[in-house]
Every structure is written in structure tokens, then in C-alpha cells.
Amino acid sequence: MISLQTRLRLAIGGAVLVAVSVSLLVGAYLVRRSLERAAFSGLQRQVGLLAHEDVRPAPGQFGRFLATQDERLSVLPKQQARLLLPDSPTGRIAINERDYLYATQDIGPDVVVLLRTASSVRSESKPFWVALGAAGGIGCLLAVALAAMLGRSIARPVLRVARASRQLAEGSQPEALPVVGASELRGLSESFNTMAGQLTRARDAERSFLLSVSHELKTPLTAIRGYSEALDEGVFTPERAVKVIRIEAARLERLIADLINLARLDQQRFDIYPDTVDLVEIARESAARHAARARDLGVRIQLEQGRCASARADPDRLLQVVSNLIENALRCTPRGGTVTLATAAGELKVKDTGPGLASDDIPHAFDRFFLYRRYNNERPVGTGLGLAIVRELAQAMGGEARVAASPTGTEFTISLPLPKTRDQLDALHAFTAS
Ligand SMILES: Nc1ncnc2c1ncn2[C@@H]1O[C@H](COP(=O)(O)OP(=O)(O)OP(=O)(O)O)[C@@H](O)[C@H]1O
Ligand SMILES: [Mg+2]
């Protein structure tokens, strides 16, 4: 298959060569004509001079007087000249199979005839033909160079787009294309860059959501496994274990629905269904969820309840948030330590008696993999995704996640919007009813 660049080079080179050839042919025709005209007018001038000279030859046959290798001069009676020569005072004539150019001048009853061999005229014009040939050769070389340059400059941006598209199709992120050249090529590069950016963002969002959902599947599974083991060992009553297992199975179902929606490409982040939630209830459920694991690790989970602790949030998603924080706290707190869940209006805190975080960790604590990379070698770590999911979910519910730490422990705070007051609800109902 011929490449675009070769095609363009052939097309441009061919077009320029045709143009150069046509110009050369026209040029050659015009040069030939003007050389012949110059030769005839030279002959005419010469014969005119000779006609008035005293050295004029006597009338006689062609070539009897003043014959040189290339020229012959004769004086003929008009009658004879009319028989031998065409009517015109200048022209071409063949004598003994040799071509001549001639010019005539009447002098009384005679005609002076000057003949010049066509070959001598041709040899005089040789330098013109050489110059014309050289110009043609240079023209052809320029045509080839121009075709190569133009072919390359037009094909290069297209080839760049083709290469970048291939990279994009293979799943890698191509570098942004330079926006240069003619307006059409600039437009092509710009559109490609926009498309590649959108595709990469969509792909990243999908990958990130897939990671988050898969990550969140761990928590209910761990709770189900912990409770079933504890049930086996007879640590918890069957009623308590079955209740937790049933709730966790329902949560697994919601996460699997997230995965199905992701596969259908109509969801790229956790969906949120806000409701008025009781944070004390959420804290209690979270503690129950992790009770089996806390017992294994020898860490106590305690609840510190405020008076009014309602907020507006999606209860399942909030449970995901608190679970992530409790999981971290349990993993990082030494045996014998305590994890405290404190609630207040629109606020839920997870405090522990673990090793804490350095002050310069605080601004980046919720960045994906930041703390994971930092403490990978000195603390038990998971996959490094949990805190990023905590922040994403807290923000999606209209709240925020914060952290404060000291060498004696860490305190994560989730702030959430407060539920609408009775007055606000009444106003809302009145508005929607009107
Ligand atoms: N309460 C805490 N006390 C001390 N260090 C913590 C605490 N919470 C988190 N960290 C540190 O921050 C790191 C990142 O936490 P994050 O929840 O983002 O990921 P992870 O727990 O390592 O893995 P994952 O949650 O994805 O299973 C943890 O590995 C841990 O080193
Ligand atoms: Mg974690």
C-alpha cells in the first residue's frame, strides 16, 4: 500500500514536472522561432549591404562566386531566380539534399541571392539550447525537492494524528499534538487533542470508580467473614450475627449494582440518595460491623454520643466512609488501644490511640496513595485507596473530611449538611404545592 507521503510526493512532483515540461516545450518553440527570425533578418541585412557593394558578383550560377563553407552568394537574372526560388524574399530551400536559408535583393534586372546552410544556423543556436536544457534540468530538480518538502509537510501532521490515534486505541495516553501549520491541519490537531483529553478523562474516571467499588466490596465481605467465624466459635449469638450478615449482604448488593452500572457505562461515580440520618445509629452500626475484627485485634471500639446527632446524608455511603476510617484506626492502633466514635449535629469523628500522622502529612492525607506510600514500610497498610474514597463520598454528600493528628493518636472528622428544619420543609412544601 502506497503511503500518503509517497502519494503526495508523486502527485506534487508529477504536477510540477508537467508544468516545467510544458514551459520548456513552449520556450523551445519560441526560442527556435526567434532564432530563425534573427537568422533571416541577418541574412537580409547582409544581402542588402552586398547589393550596394562594388564587389558585387557577376550574374551566374549558384555558388560560382563568394562560396564559403556555410554561405553562398550569387547574382541571378530575375527570370532564373523566379524559377529557382519561391516567391518570398526570404525562406528555406533544399539544394543537393542540403537545407539552406536564403535572402534576396533585387538590383535592376538581377537578383542578389545569399544562402546560408541551415546546419550553421543550428550550430549558432546551440548555446541557447544548452541553456534551455540546463534550466529544464534545474527546474526538474527543484520540482523533485519541492515535492519531497511539500509531501512531507502536508503528510507529517496527518501521520502524527494517525500515530497518536493508534496509541489511544491501544489504551496508552498520547502526548498532546502540536497545533501548527495550515488552518485545516491546526483544526485537526486541536480536535484530536480535545477528543484524546475527553477519552482519557472518561477512561480515568471509569478506572478510578472501578477501583473504588472493588475496594468497598472488601468491607462487607470482611464483616460477613468475621461474624461467620465468630458464630462458628460461639462468640456472638446467632441472632446478632445473622442480623449483621444480612445487612452486609444487602450492602454488597448495592455495590455490585454500582459495578453493573459502571459496566453499562452510565455511572462513573457513587450515586447518592440523601436522607435525614441519625449519626448515632450510623456510629452504632459501624461499630457492630467491625466488632468481630476489633475483638481479633484486641482494640476496643467505644461510642461517645452527643445529644442531637442528625445530618443529611446517604446512610449506606456514610457507612462506607465511617467503615474506612474505623478500618484504618483498627489496623494502626496497637493492641489494648481504643477507637472512639463521637457524634454531634452534622458531625461524626473517628479517634484512635494509634501512632498519629506527621503535621506535613495533613494537607495530603486524603490524596490517593499519599499516606500509603509514606508509611508503606513502617505501618500495616492496605491498598492506599480508602481515604481518597472517604473524601470523595463526604464531598458528594455535600460535606467534607478533615484530619487532625498528634503523636498519641489521629482524629478524622466528617462534617455533613444539617437536615432541613420543620420551617424549611413547610416552606418547601408550600412552594412545590403552588
Ligand atoms: N488512623 C490512622 N492512624 C495512623 N495512620 C493512618 C490512619 N489512617 C490512615 N493511616 C495511614 O494512611 C495510609 C492510607 O490510608 P488509606 O485508608 O488511604 O489506605 P490503606 O488503609 O493503606 O488501604 P485501603 O484503605 O485502601 O485498604 C494507611 O496505610 C496508614 O498508613
Ligand atoms: Mg484504609
Side-chain angles (χ1 to χ4, degrees), residues 91-253:
R92 286 176 173 272
I93 186 170
I95 303 169
N96 296 334
E97 295 181 351
R98 227 173 150 186
D99 279 342
Y100 288 91
L101 271 63
Y102 73 86
T104 57
Q105 176 76 47
D106 292 353
I107 42 163
D110 297 325
V111 177
V112 181
V113 181
L114 182 61
L115 294 156
R116 182 175 294 166
T117 54
S119 59
S120 75
V121 175
R122 270 201 298 276
S123 68
E124 271 171 25
S125 64
K126 206 170 165 190
F128 289 103
W129 295 118
V130 171
L132 202 65
I138 292 171
C140 288
L141 285 179
L142 283 177
V144 171
L146 190 74
M149 265 167 49
L150 272 177
R152 191 156 170 256
S153 72
I154 296 173
R156 203 161 46 173
V158 180
L159 292 178
R160 249 189 252 131
V161 174
R163 204 177 314 123
S165 310
R166 219 175 301 125
Q167 285 177 345
L168 204 61
E170 284 162 4
S172 52
Q173 157 88 61
E175 273 181 32
L177 296 175
V179 182
V180 287
S183 61
E184 291 86 349
L185 296 173
R186 291 167 70 91
L188 181 67
S189 302
E190 265 171 1
S191 315
F192 181 84
N193 286 344
T194 313
M195 184 196 74
Q198 282 170 351
L199 204 65
T200 308
R201 274 193 296 281
R203 209 184 265 166
D204 286 351
E206 240 172 67
R207 198 175 296 158
S208 151
F209 185 51
L210 179 62
L211 262 179
S212 299
V213 179
S214 322
H215 177 272
E216 294 306 280
L217 287 172
K218 270 189 323 178
T219 314
L221 278 175
T222 312
I224 289 172
R225 201 183 63 193
Y227 270 92
S228 47
E229 281 169 8
L231 196 62
D232 204 24
E233 289 162 18
V235 179
F236 292 128
T237 61
E239 290 74 29
R240 187 175 168 192
V242 164
K243 190 178 165 209
V244 174
I245 288 170
R246 194 177 292 142
I247 292 170
E248 294 302 330
R251 287 195 184 115
L252 267 181
E253 272 173 8

Side-chain angles (χ1 to χ4, degrees), residues 215-216 218 324-333 350-352 354-357 365-376 378-390 403 409-412:
H215 177 272
E216 294 306 280
K218 270 189 323 178
N324 267 301
L325 297 176
I326 297 178
E327 257 169 39
N328 285 350
L330 287 177
R331 184 162 9 92
C332 296
T333 305
V350 179
K351 302 185 264 188
D352 64 56
L357 298 171
F366 295 96
D367 292 352
R368 215 176 235 206
F369 304 121
F370 180 83
L371 292 178
Y372 168 86
R373 288 204 186 100
R374 181 135 187 176
Y375 293 111
N376 202 1
E378 50 183 278
R379 290 181 194 172
V381 290
T383 57
L385 288 166
L387 288 177
I389 296 173
V390 165
V403 61
T410 315
E411 180 180 297
F412 283 93

Side-chain angles (χ1 to χ4, degrees), residues 43 67-68 175 225 307 339:
L43 269 181
T68 66
E175 273 181 32
R225 201 183 63 193
R307 264 187 310 124
V339 173

